[in-house]
Amino acid sequence: MGPFGRALELIGTLDSRVLEVVGLSLAVSVAAASLAALFALPTALALGLGRFPGRRALRAVVRALMMVPAVLIGLLAYLMLGRGGPLGALGLLYTPTAIVLAQAVLAYPLETALFLAAFEQVDPLLLDATRTTGGGRRWVARAAVRQAAPALFAAGLTGFARVLGETGMTMMVGGNITGETRTMTTAIAAETMRGAFELALALGILLLLLSLAVNVALLFLEPGNDARAR
Amino acid sequence: MRVHADGLGRTLAGPPPRRVLDGLSLELPGPGVHAVLGANGSGKTTLLRLLALLDAPDAGELRFDGERVAGPRGVARGARRRATLVFDRPALLRGTVRWNVEFALRARGVPAAERPARLAPWIEPLGLGKILDARVDRISAGEARRAALARGLALGTELLLLDEPTANLDPLSAGLVEGAVAELCARRETTVVLATHDLAQARRLAGQVHFLAGGRIAQGGDAAAMLDAPRSTALAAFLGVENLFRGVVEDRGDHQRFIAPGIDWAVIAERPGPCWAALPARDVLVARDRPASSAMNAVEGTIERVEERGPTVLVVLAPPDREDAPAPRLTAAVTRATVQAMGLAPGQRAWLVWKAASVRLFDG
């Protein structure tokens, strides 16, 4: 049996090493994408619905932040969380929390930009309709979120897919510690480097399936994505 | 609520920027339906958005019951609650019809216990019983418009602004909408501003009609009087009546005739006396020879002009002058195909034919 066959066997027998890594990966990336969304949503609402000077400049900044390489965020997170860093006392380096924080920072500009795009698809008339009922900004924001909900969910899912596949930064702040901070990507990288291909392949197949599943989900979200008014 | 608009101006951003409202003044004394009549693009929606305090005018000021609520410096957002605008599109959020009304009432701060009672009176008049719990993307366009109107009515504002509430609706839906507006009016509590390009609707529903043209109110006043006697060329042009004449109806026992300089037509009138006669060009047929038909009116003359007007062609006929007065030009609207088939061209002889019932008479 070649490495590919053994990889399938690992998946088929629900090998504990595989399950553990996949579980941690999913948990960490869901948490990171959600944390990012928690901050991205108000940012996108303010930039998308608000009327204040500097709004356009801030939108440009968000787009620019999307281009920051993950490895740079990894370096900054390492310096912040590391022993000598300002947050070193918290002892977060090489913990799943560190991975969540770094991945959230990575996902934040991406999700903000996608949320913004989702809000831009909302017919302004729907917001005016909410204004004319006498509701203030809070209600206008509620209306926008409701109308854009499928697109917002799709944006969150895209953020999740982005951080799930991230490797270098996750390695830097997580450390790929077996049973503690090994994610699918860092495990694949580490296993491949030491020539143990079957686990790497098994995780690779699962990662591929997960990305596929996310993309299928995005596809299904698209028709309901129609946030235009009638 | 008394609404007083003084010199309102608004320019819509371009390119090219367009001065939509320019020194518009308007006085709505209180409850009742006030129609704002105007062609597409005349600024009706822009005006309603100003009255709803959604936009600020760049000139002039707006007062509700004497209190200044909008000017070039912005709008008093708190006063938005006194008015609501029902758009010419439904603008319903994802969800059911009931949820949409609930959402609006919640946004307004109406306590949960009161909300059902706010909607209930409008369910039957607007025919919403069956679709109340249907998702808004599963109902027809007409139903969605009625649902949006119900949302506006349920808010129970002092000022209700309706933007073309029956445009693109089938007669059934339009009838329900008009019925609901009439019912609201009967309570004499709400000041309704109805923007419409539908003359008949303005006549049916409104006590006061304000004709919007050139960025301001070109003519305003009592609906019946104003529409029956357009005093501005803008209004006459808007009324779309190519053949509009002032004259007198004479009773001839078995039928009536409309007499004006150069004109002697068979008409159907309720009573004799001075009036306006409007003959829509669409109702006039063109014939080569004197046709044998039931139409009571036939005039022979020379085709003076053949003008293309979009899908139709206007044929302007000059009847022979009479001894007492020059005969006024008469216009018929026909299709392009007709012009080609009949080979209509200026200089030719032709007959114009129309039924007595096609002549609309307005009391003076």
Side-chain angles (χ1 to χ4, degrees), chain A:
Chain A
M1 197 155 53
F4 191 72
R6 285 201 295 280
L8 287 179
E9 198 186 337
L10 282 177
I11 298 171
T13 56
L14 300 174
D15 183 273
S16 63
R17 285 178 300 165
V18 173
L19 289 185
E20 191 184 289
V21 170
V22 171
L24 181 78
S25 249
L26 289 178
V28 159
S29 294
V30 165
S34 307
L35 184 63
L38 211 61
F39 288 89
L41 194 64
T43 314
L45 275 171
L47 294 180
L49 307 182
R51 298 276 174 277
F52 54 88
R55 198 168 65 107
R56 288 168 71 102
L58 281 174
R59 294 168 75 126
V61 168
V62 168
R63 276 199 301 277
L65 283 177
M66 275 203 304
M67 302 301 153
V68 174
V71 72
L72 197 60
I73 294 171
L75 173 64
L76 291 174
Y78 190 96
L79 293 175
M80 294 285 283
L81 301 174
R83 204 159 287 172
L87 302 177
L90 299 175
L92 290 176
L93 196 65
Y94 302 139
T95 66
T97 309
I99 305 178
V100 169
L101 290 176
Q103 288 192 348
V105 171
L106 178 66
Y108 169 75
L110 174 68
E111 288 186 15
T112 302
L114 292 174
F115 284 172
L116 255 176
F119 287 134
E120 265 159 18
Q121 291 299 310
V122 174
D123 190 326
L125 197 71
L126 288 171
L127 307 180
D128 282 337
T130 306
R131 284 186 189 103
T132 194
T133 60
R137 287 194 194 100
R138 197 163 61 91
W139 290 93
V140 176
R142 273 196 188 198
V145 168
R146 180 177 182 91
Q147 202 60 20
L152 295 174
F153 186 71
L157 212 53
T158 306
F160 163 75
R162 170 71 185 92
V163 294
L164 187 71
E166 208 291 321
T167 316
M169 179 189 82
T170 307
M171 187 81 91
M172 289 165 80
V173 299
N176 193 40
I177 301 166
T178 310
E180 282 178 41
T181 58
R182 263 186 124 184
T183 68
M184 296 169 81
T185 51
T186 59
I188 291 170
E191 292 294 301
T192 304
M193 274 193 279
R194 66 182 191 91
F197 296 114
E198 65 266 21
L199 184 58
L201 266 174
L203 292 172
I205 291 165
L206 289 174
L207 192 59
L208 194 65
L209 287 176
L210 270 172
S211 316
L212 220 62
V214 167
N215 274 292
V216 169
L218 288 177
L219 210 66
F220 274 105
L221 278 171
E222 227 153 58
N225 235 343
D226 186 7
R228 277 168 303 164
R230 20 183 329 171

